[in-house]
Amino acid sequence: MNLKEEIEKLKKEKNAVILAHYYQYPEIQDIADYVGDSLGLSQKAAETDADVIVFAGVHFMAETAKILNPEKKVLLPDLNAGCSLADSCPPEQFGEFIKAHPGHTVITYVNCSAEVKALTDIVCTSSNALKIVESLPKDQPIIFAPDRNLGKYIQKETGRDMVLWDGSCVVHEAFSLDKLLELFKKHPDALIIAHPESEDHILKTANYIGSTAGMINFVKEHPKNKFIVATEVGILHKMKQEVPEAELIPAPTQEDNTCACSECAYMKVNTLQKLHDCLLNETPEVSVPKEIMEKALIPIQRMLDLS
Ligand code: 13P
Ligand code: SF4
C-alpha cells in the first residue's frame, strides 16, 4: 500500500478525521476530510463525531480543537508547528498588559496560545474579527492581540477605541511594497488580494482584504481575472482547484528574487509521512491543562456563537 492508502485505512480503523489548513502542502490538503481557514477548522472541530482529530495545521489550531473536544485525542503531525504571532504574545506579559488597561474588553486573534485565550473575553479569526468588534457597544474600549496589523485594519474599519498588542506574522510582514508595485506595473489588469495580517502599506493596495477562505471566495466570484495573492503560497493549491481558469501570481517578498513566494516554515514542518506516522502511533498528542482548557473554552465558544 502507498502512504495515502495507508492513511485512509488507518483513518477508518481509528475513526479519525483529518482537518487541514490552506497553507498545508497540496498532498496533505488532498487527503484531508476538510480544508479550511481558522474559523472553518474550529467549527468543524466543534461538530466532529470522530474519536481522533489529526490537525494538519499549527499548534494553536490543534489546541483550539482540543479545547473544544477535551475527551478526544488531538494529534499534530509535528509539535514544532508553531506560529510567530502566537510566540509574540507570552501569557505573563499579556496578563500585565491587561492589568495596565482596566475596563477594556480583551479580544484575541485565534493565533495565540491557550494560556492567552484563558485571559481573553472573546476570540476572533480574520473571518469574523470585524463582526466581533462591532458586536460590542460603540464606546467600549478594546484590547486587541496579538496581531498589530489585523488590529490596525479593524481599528481603521470600525473607528473603535483599541489598544493593540505589538505582535506580527513573519510571513505576512515579508511582502515587499516596492516589488509588489513593480509586479503590478507588469500586470495592471490584476486584482490584488491580501490577508489582513499584511502590513498597512500592502493592504492599501488591495482590492480585497480577507481571511484565507474569504480570499478563495473572492477569486471564485471573479473567475476570469488575474490575481496577485498576498498570503502564504500554499493557498494557491486550493485556488487553482476551485478556479482553474484564474491566473494567480504570488505577491513578492523582500528577500526573494527567484520564486517570489512566501512559505510559512511552521506550517510546512508537517509532511504526509509525519501525518501517517502520527495517525499510526497516535502521537504527538496535543494537551492543555484542564484549568486553562476550561477558561479558554469560554471566549472560543463566544466567538462560535457570534459567527
Ligand atoms: P486564516 O484564518 O485566514 O486561515 O488565517 C490563518 C493564518 O495563520 C494566517 O496566517
Ligand atoms: Fe502564524 Fe504567520 Fe504561519 Fe499563519 S502564516 S501560522 S500567522 S507564522
Side-chain angles (χ1 to χ4, degrees):
M1 256 194 274
N2 67 29
L3 211 48
K4 283 184 185 163
E5 287 166 348
E6 277 182 41
I7 291 171
E8 292 292 354
K9 184 169 159 272
L10 286 166
K11 217 173 68 175
K12 282 198 193 100
E13 276 170 20
K14 296 180 186 243
N15 187 28
V17 67
I18 301 175
L19 305 181
H21 189 266
Y22 293 123
Y23 297 165
Q24 292 293 289
Y25 283 120
E27 59 273 25
I28 294 184
Q29 294 190 40
D30 289 345
I31 205 159
D33 296 288
Y34 175 79
V35 188
D37 70 351
S38 308
L39 178 64
L41 288 164
S42 45
Q43 286 167 329
K44 282 286 163 198
E47 68 195 29
T48 184
D49 54 9
D51 296 317
V52 177
I53 299 172
V54 182
F55 214 111
V58 290
H59 194 264
F60 75 82
M61 296 178 174
E63 250 183 5
T64 305
K66 181 67 186 175
I67 294 163
L68 287 162
N69 296 281
E71 72 300 340
K72 290 188 176 146
K73 198 169 256 190
V74 178
L75 305 170
L76 184 64
D78 189 328
L79 282 182
N80 293 315
C83 169
S84 71
L85 258 174
D87 291 347
S88 70
C89 192
E92 272 140 50
Q93 285 171 31
F94 190 54
E96 294 302 318
F97 189 74
I98 294 172
K99 273 194 212 139
H101 298 91
H104 286 60
T105 297
V106 182
I107 300 186
T108 57
Y109 186 37
V110 69
N111 298 39
C112 63
S113 65
E115 286 81 359
V116 167
K117 289 187 178 79
L119 300 170
T120 295
D121 295 309
I122 319 179
V123 168
C124 71
T125 74
S126 46
S127 295
N128 58 21
L130 272 171
K131 192 173 178 183
I132 285 183
V133 166
E134 277 169 345
S135 74
L136 298 177
K138 280 206 160 56
D139 56 350
Q140 176 59 43
I142 295 164
I143 290 176
F144 190 90
D147 188 22
R148 61 170 177 247
N149 294 316
L150 176 62
K152 202 169 167 187
Y153 168 66
I154 301 291
Q155 196 173 29
K156 251 170 90 177
E157 291 292 305
T158 61
R160 296 299 179 104
D161 175 4
M162 289 166 73
V163 188
L164 309 181
W165 181 265
D166 194 16
S168 65
C169 160
V170 279
V171 177
H172 289 86
E173 286 216 327
F175 294 119
S176 156
L177 178 62
D178 292 344
K179 288 188 185 175
L180 176 65
L181 296 176
E182 258 172 57
L183 184 67
F184 187 65
K185 264 192 217 158
K186 288 186 203 146
H187 304 276
D189 51 338
L191 295 172
I192 300 177
I193 57 175
H195 195 280
E197 286 172 21
S198 311
E199 287 177 279
D200 194 34
H201 56 243
I202 299 288
L203 296 182
K204 275 188 185 137
T205 70
N207 299 92
Y208 174 80
I209 299 167
S211 75
T212 51
M215 292 168 85
I216 292 171
N217 285 335
F218 186 79
V219 173
K220 274 180 166 171
E221 284 160 15
H222 304 81
K224 299 244 156 14
N225 272 85
K226 190 188 269 189
F227 298 89
I228 298 177
V229 184
T231 194
E232 211 269 1
V233 75
I235 198 173
L236 298 190
H237 177 62
K238 185 55 89 187
M239 280 178 178
K240 278 181 205 150
Q241 280 181 338
E242 298 271 342
V243 195
E245 64 271 43
E247 190 179 333
L248 306 170
I249 309 166
T253 59
Q254 286 139 22
E255 296 299 319
D256 191 35
N257 290 313
T258 49
C259 78
C261 61
S262 62
E263 283 201 334
C264 173
Y266 300 105
M267 286 277 180
K268 263 49 185 193
V269 294
N270 294 328
T271 60
L272 201 61
Q273 182 68 53
K274 287 183 197 169
L275 193 152
H276 165 270
D277 296 352
C278 92
L279 193 48
L280 177 71
N281 304 318
E282 299 191 20
T283 183
E285 191 178 345
V286 172
S287 63
V288 183
K290 192 169 176 284
E291 196 197 319
I292 299 289
M293 216 152 32
E294 285 168 2
K295 286 188 183 155
L297 177 62
I298 299 165
I300 295 173
Q301 195 55 57
R302 279 191 192 126
M303 168 186 83
L304 293 176
D305 293 345
L306 279 166
S307 300

